[in-house]
Amino acid sequence: MNKTDQAYQALEKMITFQELPPGSLLSERALMERTGYGRTPVREALQRLARERMVDIHPNRGVFVADASIESQLRLLEVRRSLEELAVRLAAQRAQPPQRAAMLELAGQLQEFTGADAHEFGPLLKESHALVAAAAGNDFLSVAMAPLQGLSRRFWFANLRDPAREIRAGADRHQDVLRAVHAGDAEAAARASLALNDYLVDFTHRTLHT
């Protein structure tokens, strides 16, 4: 990765895990100090995060971390549901042997994951999304899905009330998707994807009562 990609990864992680909470005013200088990257990589990373709706850039006011409301989460899940079903169907049909092998390996890691540490689980979750998106072989679809999955991950991690139980639930549903795509079974992959999104909708509604 180049420095812009590295700065993006660092800032996206900070936002996802609430080190930079919703509504925070971000200073380029402060972010340069926190990440260790220069002005240009940080600025370009912020522009990418703005395209993915993680931050809002106001020319005369500054950069703010975007809010993460229940209402916006439910709206984005409506879109994610259809796009992700399409992505897993295409991935089941188009995945190359090395991609299928990587999916099977990651499915095994998800099956064996026993922790309740969101920071340890986060990279596995992100890799699962990236593998399916790459295997689908459609750049337009990948660009459309990236902000939906990124915002969805942020909301999920921010609202874990029983981390061990929810991480187990998330791991099981993602490994089901990966195993179906690995097997080339588009119908099973679609069912697994819809089950995952049903879980995310239910999770979002449950946050109303916590």
Side-chain angles (χ1 to χ4, degrees), residues 46-99:
L46 287 172
Q47 291 171 348
R48 179 176 170 186
L49 289 165
R51 291 193 296 272
E52 296 183 356
R53 307 280 301 269
M54 286 278 196
V55 302
D56 297 318
I57 299 177
H58 300 274
N60 298 321
R61 297 174 57 201
V63 180
F64 295 83
V65 178
D67 288 333
S69 69
I70 291 173
E71 292 78 8
S72 62
Q73 175 72 356
L74 290 172
R75 288 198 301 272
L76 76 84
L77 288 175
E78 288 180 348
V79 182
R80 174 177 168 171
R81 182 181 183 86
S82 297
L83 290 182
E84 205 159 66
E85 181 184 1
L86 173 61
V88 301
R89 286 182 180 277
L90 292 176
Q93 297 165 4
R94 298 174 177 176
Q96 298 301 306
Q99 292 172 320

Side-chain angles (χ1 to χ4, degrees), residues 94-151:
R94 298 174 177 176
Q96 298 301 306
Q99 292 172 320
R100 295 185 195 276
M103 289 178 190
L104 188 60
E105 180 179 353
L106 180 56
Q109 294 177 41
L110 290 169
Q111 182 177 1
E112 294 172 3
F113 191 89
T114 57
D117 188 333
H119 286 80
E120 290 184 5
F121 184 66
L124 299 179
L125 184 59
K126 195 170 183 179
E127 185 181 356
S128 174
H129 293 160
L131 280 174
V132 171
N138 186 312
D139 292 342
F140 294 100
L141 184 57
S142 296
V143 168
M145 287 175 59
L148 299 173
Q149 292 177 325
L151 291 168

